[in-house]
């Protein structure tokens, strides 16, 4: 296996599964631990990961849409199906950027809805569905991340209203704060929250606590969190204190 391909697989493993040991990476890639150690040194020199005792962890940061789209698909589909069931025909839905919002868009085919989005993959998914009135927000195109951002996007949102916002995240802190790794996306997410009656956070188990250095909002800005696993006790307590309903994919958490 070429070194470049190994490096891609190592980064994908760390970003999707968290810190990993040299021995685990060696087994996954079918190469010697010595080779993995050399790879980790090179990737650390490039600023892509941090070596820790016995292994490494990924640096926080943007991941291209195509890379993230391959991760935890079954979990995202379960969350998307539960979220789609909340929406009634005739309502307006605002879909955030990200891969879980895309999986949700796939659940909306055949519905009579208005869908508003800055997510280019959502637009492509729903463009030919004549039952859906589709509104694509303007803005600057972020090609690798398949989204629209900037003051034009925010201005568009100030002129619109949605019954539901389905919001993505990079991580949820124990205090219930919703975080993102991408600073440029944060003003758009905040504008989406202001434009919506109900705010639903879509967050699989890996997002507790996940990653992110930029705060999007606090728990008081959320109405519902849809996830595939119970949040840790501290996060659960913070969400409950803020009056947020926590919904497990497939059932409501008591």
């Amino acid at each position: 296996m070429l070194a470049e391909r190994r490096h891609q697989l190592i980064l994908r493993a760390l970003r999707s599964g968290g810190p990993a040991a040299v021995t685990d990476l060696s087994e996954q890639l079918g190469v010697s631990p010595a080779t993995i150690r050399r790879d980790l040194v090179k990737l650390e020199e490039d600023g892509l990961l941090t070596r820790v005792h016995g292994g490494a962890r990924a640096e926080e940061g943007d991941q291209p849409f195509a890379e993230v789209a391959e991760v935890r698909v079954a979990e995202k589909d379960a969350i998307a199906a539960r979220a789609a069931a909340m929406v009634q025909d005739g309502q307006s839905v605002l879909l955030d950027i990200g891969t879980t919002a895309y999986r949700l868009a796939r659940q909306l085919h055949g519905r009579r809805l208005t869908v508003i989005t800055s997510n280019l993959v959502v637009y492509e998914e729903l463009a030919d569905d004549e039952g859906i009135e589709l509104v694509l927000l303007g803005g600057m195109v972020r090609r690798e991340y398949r989204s629209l951002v900037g003051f034009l996007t925010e201005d568009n949102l100030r002129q619109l209203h949605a019954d539901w916002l389905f919001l993505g995240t990079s991580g949820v802190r124990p205090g219930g704060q919703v975080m993102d790794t991408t600073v440029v996306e944060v003003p758009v997410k905040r504008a989406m929250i202001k434009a919506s009656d109900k705010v639903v956070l879509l967050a699989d188990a890996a997002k507790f606590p996940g990653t992110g250095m930029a705060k999007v909002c606090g728990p008081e800005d959320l109405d519902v969190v849809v996830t595939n696993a119970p949040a840790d006790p501290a996060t659960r307590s913070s969400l409950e204190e803020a009056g947020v309903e926590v919904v497990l994919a497939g059932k409501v958490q008591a």
Side-chain angles (χ1 to χ4, degrees):
M1 184 186 300
L2 295 175
E4 183 177 351
R5 178 60 176 163
R6 284 200 313 275
H7 294 173
Q8 291 174 351
L9 294 174
I10 289 170
L11 291 173
R12 182 176 299 174
L14 296 178
R15 288 168 176 167
S16 63
V22 168
T23 52
D24 292 338
L25 293 169
S26 173
E27 290 178 6
Q28 289 178 38
L29 274 64
V31 296
S32 70
T35 298
I36 293 295
R37 290 190 187 94
R38 287 194 295 270
D39 289 338
L40 297 183
V41 169
K42 176 64 169 61
L43 290 167
E44 185 176 50
E45 289 173 352
D46 292 341
L48 297 172
L49 57 74
T50 298
R51 285 186 295 158
V52 296
H53 181 70
R57 60 175 173 80
E59 286 296 310
E60 291 187 2
D62 265 348
Q63 290 176 262
F65 185 97
E67 182 177 321
V68 184
E70 300 175 5
V71 177
R72 299 186 300 278
V73 173
E75 291 90 338
K76 292 173 185 177
D77 278 341
I79 291 168
R82 185 63 184 84
M86 298 178 178
V87 181
Q88 298 179 6
D89 282 359
Q91 291 188 315
S92 53
V93 177
L94 184 51
L95 293 183
D96 192 13
I97 67 161
T99 58
T100 308
Y102 162 62
R103 306 306 300 187
L104 173 53
R106 291 169 61 93
Q107 300 278 344
L108 300 180
H109 281 295
R111 304 285 300 275
R112 186 174 58 82
L113 300 167
T114 297
V115 175
I116 307 162
T117 191
S118 60
N119 188 326
L120 292 172
V121 183
V122 167
Y123 167 77
E124 292 164 2
E125 177 67 28
L126 298 177
D128 295 328
D129 192 322
E130 295 183 1
I132 291 178
E133 186 153 354
L134 188 56
V135 179
L136 180 63
L137 299 168
M140 180 82 67
V141 176
R142 300 182 74 226
R143 289 181 177 84
E144 285 196 42
Y145 306 99
R146 310 306 303 277
S147 66
L148 294 152
V149 297
F151 75 93
L152 291 173
T153 319
E154 296 163 48
D155 281 350
N156 283 178
L157 285 163
R158 281 190 279 269
Q159 300 174 61
L160 296 169
H161 168 269
D163 295 308
W164 295 92
L165 164 61
F166 292 98
L167 185 70
T169 182
S170 300
V172 183
R173 294 292 180 260
Q177 297 87 3
V178 178
M179 309 300 291
D180 204 276
T181 58
T182 314
V183 173
V184 72
E185 299 282 0
V186 171
V188 175
K189 289 175 181 282
R190 290 175 177 170
M192 287 181 170
I193 291 170
K194 290 180 180 178
S196 306
D197 280 346
K198 293 284 189 180
V199 179
V200 181
L201 183 69
L202 308 177
D204 62 59
K207 303 299 176 65
F208 297 94
T211 60
M213 64 177 179
K215 179 181 174 182
V216 175
C217 68
E220 66 278 0
D221 295 305
L222 304 175
D223 294 289
V224 183
V225 173
V226 182
T227 184
N228 65 312
D232 64 89
T235 309
R236 169 76 180 269
S237 176
S238 298
L239 293 172
E240 287 179 342
E241 287 176 8
V244 180
E245 181 185 10
V246 179
V247 176
L248 289 177
K251 63 178 180 178
V252 179
Q253 194 170 321

